Amino acid sequence: MLKIVVFASGSGSNAERIATYFAEKGTAQVQAILSNNPQAGVLARAKRLAIPSIVFDRQAFYHSDIVLNLIKSLQPDLIVLAGFLWKVPAYLTEAYPDKIINIHPSLLPKYGGKGMYGAHVHQAVIDHGEKESGITIHYVNEHYDEGNIIFQAKTEVLPTDTPDTLAEKIHQLEYQYFPEVISRFVD
Ligand code: GAR
């Protein structure tokens, strides 16, 4: 059984989708959900799903080995960033090379980098008159949104789209493909 640790900063709908998908399938297990945000919706989801959750602050994440030791004790096969908004420090990418993956709500390399998350991404895509957008699942290295791409899926951007309607389409792609792409790591 593949052991997964999930990092999330917000609502956590992807985290929940991944956890329920694998609970049904029985091929992987979300061991814990880690968050930098004590207000994150993902924490209530974790509680409902009976998945342990841990909140850490900047000091613990960037200037201590608390998070690294915690992850080491869990011995995950894969670390999944599902709407996690802080930069991953080098001590983690070095300890888990090719074992940390992220989902980004655009067709990278377009609309990635610092400050590009959630609605900011969709607003920028619309402002630039893009005809299509999508999702990118990629390995995480020490640079924001620059690791090798594992998977992309596209959706049309209509002239009538708003950041909200585009976010909804992107979320549907994420729910459809993210668990499936994670499944590839099971073997
Ligand atoms: C997702 O759309 C994810 O792609 C995006 O945040 C959303 C989280 O939604 N991630 C980023 O923008 C990372 N730069 P969720 O909390 O409902 O899963």
Side-chain angles (χ1 to χ4, degrees):
M1 170 110 68
L2 189 89
K3 293 186 286 177
I4 303 172
V5 165
V6 173
F7 279 70
S9 301
S11 158
S13 64
N14 275 288
E16 175 161 0
R17 171 88 182 108
I18 292 162
T20 53
Y21 176 95
F22 286 108
E24 276 166 28
K25 235 182 159 204
T27 52
Q29 188 197 9
V30 175
Q31 301 172 284
I33 295 178
L34 274 60
S35 184
N36 60 304
N37 177 6
Q39 312 299 333
V42 73
L43 300 173
R45 293 183 196 263
K47 198 169 177 194
R48 183 157 43 74
L49 295 164
I51 297 171
S53 62
I54 298 108
V55 177
F56 52 82
D57 62 15
R58 234 169 234 289
Q59 169 67 25
F61 197 44
Y62 292 110
H63 304 292
S64 85
D65 50 14
I66 294 173
V67 176
L68 181 61
N69 287 339
L70 173 71
I71 295 175
K72 276 186 180 164
S73 71
L74 292 166
Q75 297 188 300
D77 302 297
L78 194 65
I79 297 172
V80 173
L81 312 187
F84 181 64
L85 302 186
W86 281 5
K87 191 169 182 215
V88 174
Y91 70 76
L92 268 181
T93 52
E94 280 161 17
Y96 295 96
D98 293 340
K99 285 192 172 184
I100 311 178
I101 65 171
N102 179 46
I103 192 158
H104 186 80
S106 76
L107 296 170
L108 290 175
K110 283 185 159 186
Y111 307 104
K114 199 168 161 52
M116 274 294 166
Y117 59 89
H120 298 289
V121 176
H122 308 313
Q123 185 70 60
V125 166
I126 290 168
D127 289 349
H128 283 82
E130 297 286 354
K131 299 280 179 281
E132 60 180 19
S133 188
I135 62 169
T136 302
I137 298 167
H138 65 94
Y139 289 108
V140 173
N141 64 19
E142 62 280 15
H143 305 290
Y144 266 116
D145 302 328
E146 284 182 20
N148 287 342
I149 291 173
I150 302 165
F151 176 87
Q152 291 187 309
K154 291 178 182 175
T155 186
E156 207 183 338
V157 181
L158 301 174
T160 48
D161 268 321
T162 65
D164 280 350
T165 61
L166 185 53
E168 177 53 31
K169 287 196 249 184
I170 296 282
H171 263 126
Q172 290 311 319
L173 285 181
E174 294 181 332
Y175 303 153
Q176 185 181 349
Y177 291 112
F178 203 9
E180 236 174 63
V181 170
I182 293 169
S183 286
R184 296 183 194 171
F185 290 83
V186 169
D187 307 322

